[in-house]
Amino acid sequence: MAKNLKKNTYTKREAAMYLVGLGGQNMIYNIIATGLYFYFQNVICLNAVALGWIMALARVWDAINDPMMGTIVDKTKTKWGKCRPYLLFVPPVVCVITIATFLNGNYAVAERAGATSKMVLITAWAAISYILWGMSYTIGDIPLWGIIPRMTEDEGDRAKLISLARIFASIFGATMVVGIIPISQAINGTETPNAQKGFIIAAIITTVVASALFELAGIGTKERVPVTEETKSMKESFKLMWSCKPFRRLLISGVLRAPIQLMTIVVMTLFTYYYCDGDMNRAFDFTNKKMLAILLIIAGGFFIGQFGIMGVFPYLIKKIDVKKLYNLTALAGIPTALIFLLYKLHPTELDQVKYVAILGVLILIAGVGFGLVMVCQSMMISDCIDYEEFHNGFRPDGIFFSGQSFITKLSAGISSIISAYVYNAVGYSGKNIDDLNNALANGAHFATDPRYAKYSWAMWFLLTIPAAIGMIIAVIPTIKYEITKEDHEKMLAALVAKHEEESK
C-alpha cells in the first residue's frame, strides 16, 4: 500500500531554479579553488610552503565547521524551511568575501625589494581572507545540498536531481576553470603586475554574476518533506556522524580519496605552462588549430566521460546497486596512473597529436570514474539520511550533507600540503615562479627547456599518481557498506507512509 501513496516532490520550475543556483555556487567555488590558487601561486607568487599551509589549515578548520553548520541547519525552523533561509541570505555575503580574497599585494615584488613586513602582511591577508571565505561558503554549501532530500520523497526524482546537480556543478564550475585565467589575461596581459590587475577585475565580474545565479536556489525552491521535531546538540551531531555505520564508511572512503583534489589545484597550472607557455589565451587562439584540438581533446575527454556517466546514472541505479557502482570507481585509478607513465616515456612530446589522442582516451575513462564518484557519494548520503530516520526517527539532512562538504574541504587541505612540499622540493616557489614567468614572456618554452623539467615532472606527478592511489584505496571501507538497493526501497516506502500519516 505504501507504494501507492502520493510522494511529495519538486516541480520542473523548482528543479531548474535549484540547478542554476547550484551552478552559480560552483562557479564561486572554482573561482577560489582554481583561480585563487593560481593567483596566489603564479601571479603574486606566494611562497609554496606558506601557500600550502594557508590552504590546508583553512580547509581543515573549515571542515571542522561543517558538522557545526549541519547541526545549526537541522535546528533551523522558519516559514521557509530549514535550508532555504541560508540560500536566500548567504549569497551576497559570499560575494563580498570572495572578491576580498583577491585584493592583495604582490609577494614576489615585495620579496625582490626585501620588504619583509610587506610580505608578512600580504601572507596574513591571504590567510585571513581565505579562512573567512571558507566559513561563509560553508553556511551556503551545506543547505544547498541538504535541501535535495527535502525537496522530494521520490527516490527516482532524487537520483535525477542529484545527477543533474552534479552535471550543472561541473559545467558551471568548468567555466571558471577554463575561463578566469584567460579573462584576466585578456584584460591586462600576462606580465605579473598587469596580471594581478586583470585577476582582480575578472574576479569581481565573475563573482557578482555567480552570486546572482546562486541566489536563485533560495528564491525558486520549496521544502516538501516534513521536518522531524527532534534536534541534536553539537556533541550529539558529531557522535551521530560516526555512529551511523554506512555514513562512517563514506567518510573514511572520502578521506582516503583526498588526493583527487590535487587535480583541481594543479590542472590549470599544468595546462597554462606545459601547453601555453604561461599565456592561457593561446588555448583560445582559434587560428591555432593544433592548440584548439589539444584543448578540445583533453578537456572534452574529461567532461564527456564525467557528464556521460552522470547522465545515465538515474537509469543505472534502477538495475545496479549504488554500492556496486561506487566500488567500481577504483578502476579509474588505472588510466590516471597511465597518464603519468605516458609523460615519463615522452616528457617533452605530449603536445604531439598522437600523444594528445592517447591522453584524451585515458582522461575520458578516468572522467567516467570521477563523475561516478560524485553522483554515487551524494546518492549514498541521501540514503544514509533515510537509514537514520528509519532506524532512529531523526532525519539529519544538514548533519550528513555537512559530511560531504567535510570530505571535500579536508581533502583540499591534505592536497594543499602535498602540493606545497612537492613544489617546494623542486623549487617551484616564490621568486622562481616570477623568474619563470619573465623567461616565458621573453620566448622560453616550458615543456622543452631543461631548466624547467623538474617543474614539469612535479605538475604531472601531482595531477596523477596521488589521485590514482586515492581512487583505488578509497573503496576498501565501502566493500561492506550496509545499505542495499532492496533494503533502501523498503525503508523509503515505510517513510513515505509515515510522512503521509503525520500530515493528516
Side-chain angles (χ1 to χ4, degrees):
M1 184 178 70
K3 291 183 179 180
N4 296 324
L5 291 172
K6 184 179 179 181
K7 299 176 182 178
N8 289 318
T9 193
Y10 52 81
T11 65
K12 290 182 179 180
R13 180 183 179 276
E14 289 169 13
M17 294 282 276
Y18 172 80
L19 292 169
V20 174
L22 180 135
Q25 186 247 20
N26 275 267
M27 287 174 67
I28 296 172
Y29 180 82
N30 281 285
I31 288 169
I32 296 295
T34 300
L36 184 68
Y37 192 93
F38 185 94
Y39 174 75
F40 279 168
Q41 181 183 61
N42 301 298
V43 177
I44 67 172
C45 303
L46 288 180
N47 176 272
V49 173
L51 174 58
W53 279 106
I54 287 171
M55 294 290 184
L57 293 176
R59 286 302 198 178
V60 171
W61 167 243
D62 203 19
I64 294 171
N65 281 330
D66 287 339
M68 299 179 185
M69 186 60 206
T71 302
I72 293 171
V73 169
D74 282 330
K75 287 177 175 287
T76 300
K77 294 180 181 179
T78 71
K79 64 180 181 180
W80 298 292
K82 66 179 185 178
C83 294
R84 277 192 70 209
Y86 302 98
L87 304 183
L88 288 167
F89 302 114
V90 168
V93 178
V94 176
C95 178
V96 172
I97 297 177
T98 301
I99 293 170
T101 61
F102 287 87
L103 303 180
N104 213 314
N106 193 310
Y107 185 98
V109 171
E111 186 178 33
R112 284 200 302 272
T116 304
S117 60
K118 187 173 182 180
M119 289 191 298
V120 171
L121 288 174
I122 291 168
T123 305
W125 178 250
I128 292 168
S129 62
Y130 186 67
I131 290 170
L132 289 175
W133 177 84
M135 294 174 69
S136 67
Y137 187 84
T138 294
I139 299 173
D141 186 51
I142 291 170
L144 185 64
W145 287 98
I147 201 172
I148 291 179
R150 302 211 53 74
M151 290 172 67
T152 179
E153 294 177 310
D154 187 282
E155 184 177 26
D157 285 349
R158 184 184 297 174
K160 290 177 185 176
L161 191 57
I162 287 174
S163 297
L164 288 170
R166 286 301 188 180
I167 291 172
F168 270 66
S170 298
I171 291 174
F172 278 74
T175 63
M176 292 299 98
V177 171
V178 301
I180 191 169
I181 296 173
I183 290 171
S184 65
Q185 292 179 342
I187 292 171
N188 275 107
T190 58
E191 294 182 5
T192 301
N194 287 333
Q196 185 175 9
K197 296 174 185 177
F199 255 94
I200 292 171
I201 295 170
I204 292 172
I205 295 170
T206 54
T207 300
V208 169
V209 172
S211 300
L213 296 177
F214 184 12
E215 187 70 39
L216 297 179
I219 294 172
T221 55
K222 181 179 179 181
E223 297 185 27
R224 297 174 179 274
V225 177
V227 178
T228 53
E229 293 298 321
E230 182 185 359
T231 59
K232 299 285 184 182
S233 67
M234 202 74 70
K235 181 179 180 180
E236 289 172 330
S237 295
F238 276 95
K239 184 178 179 181
L240 176 60
M241 292 177 71
W242 192 251
S243 63
C244 180
K245 287 185 179 180
F247 187 72
R248 181 171 69 224
R249 294 185 189 279
L250 286 178
L251 285 177
I252 297 172
S253 176
V255 173
L256 291 175
R257 193 183 282 107
I260 194 176
Q261 289 287 328
L262 278 165
M263 302 183 80
T264 301
I265 293 173
V266 176
V267 64
M268 285 311 299
T269 299
L270 172 62
F271 194 89
T272 301
Y273 283 91
Y274 190 92
Y275 288 104
C276 302
D277 285 326
D279 183 359
M280 189 61 179
N281 283 309
R282 294 178 183 175
F284 300 93
D285 180 2
F286 296 142
T287 63
N288 188 336
K289 294 182 180 179
K290 180 181 177 180
M291 181 57 68
L292 185 59
I294 290 172
L295 179 64
L296 291 175
I297 291 172
I298 292 178
F302 185 79
F303 289 118
I304 289 171
Q306 191 178 64
F307 298 155
I309 196 65
M310 289 177 179
V312 301
F313 177 75
Y315 305 99
L316 286 176
I317 63 165
K318 290 179 181 179
K319 298 182 179 181
I320 306 175
D321 197 315
V322 67
K323 167 186 170 180
K324 293 179 181 177
L325 291 173
Y326 185 84
N327 289 337
L328 283 172
T329 61
L331 297 176
I334 298 172
T336 306
L338 289 176
I339 292 172
F340 186 71
L341 177 60
L342 182 65
Y343 166 75
K344 288 294 292 180
L345 293 172
H346 307 281
T348 63
E349 303 171 81
L350 295 192
D351 62 343
Q352 294 183 15
V353 174
K354 58 183 177 181
Y355 298 125
V356 171
I358 296 171
L359 270 177
V361 173
L362 293 174
I363 289 171
L364 185 147
I365 298 170
V368 171
F370 299 146
L372 197 56
V373 164
M374 291 190 287
V375 287
C376 284
Q377 179 179 276
S378 297
M379 191 69 188
M380 292 164 83
I381 290 174
S382 291
D383 293 350
C384 287
I385 292 169
D386 294 332
Y387 178 93
E388 190 62 30
E389 184 183 7
F390 178 79
H391 286 283
N392 299 308
F394 177 67
R395 189 167 184 83
D397 303 278
I399 296 171
F400 278 12
F401 267 100
S402 74
Q404 177 172 276
S405 185
F406 171 88
I407 291 169
T408 300
K409 292 168 184 176
L410 183 62
S411 296
I414 294 171
S415 297
S416 295
I417 290 295
I418 295 171
S419 65
Y421 282 98
V422 170
Y423 279 143
N424 191 65
V426 299
Y428 187 74
S429 176
K431 185 177 180 296
N432 288 342
I433 299 176
D434 195 37
D435 292 340
L436 167 64
N437 289 337
N438 291 329
L440 295 177
N442 289 311
H445 296 288
F446 182 84
T448 57
D449 194 319
R451 291 177 296 174
Y452 310 128
K454 57 185 179 180
Y455 299 164
S456 178
W457 176 91
M459 292 175 191
W460 283 100
F461 172 82
L462 288 170
L463 186 76
T464 56
I465 297 302
I469 295 171
M471 289 294 288
I472 293 169
I473 66 174
V475 303
I476 295 173
T478 55
I479 291 172
K480 295 184 178 180
Y481 182 76
E482 286 79 2
I483 305 174
T484 66
K485 180 177 177 62
E486 183 180 356
D487 288 341
H488 182 253
E489 288 175 350
K490 292 178 180 178
M491 285 189 293
L492 197 57
L495 292 175
V496 170
K498 172 190 170 186
H499 297 159
E500 180 75 10
E501 184 64 28
E502 289 173 347
S503 66
K504 292 181 180 178

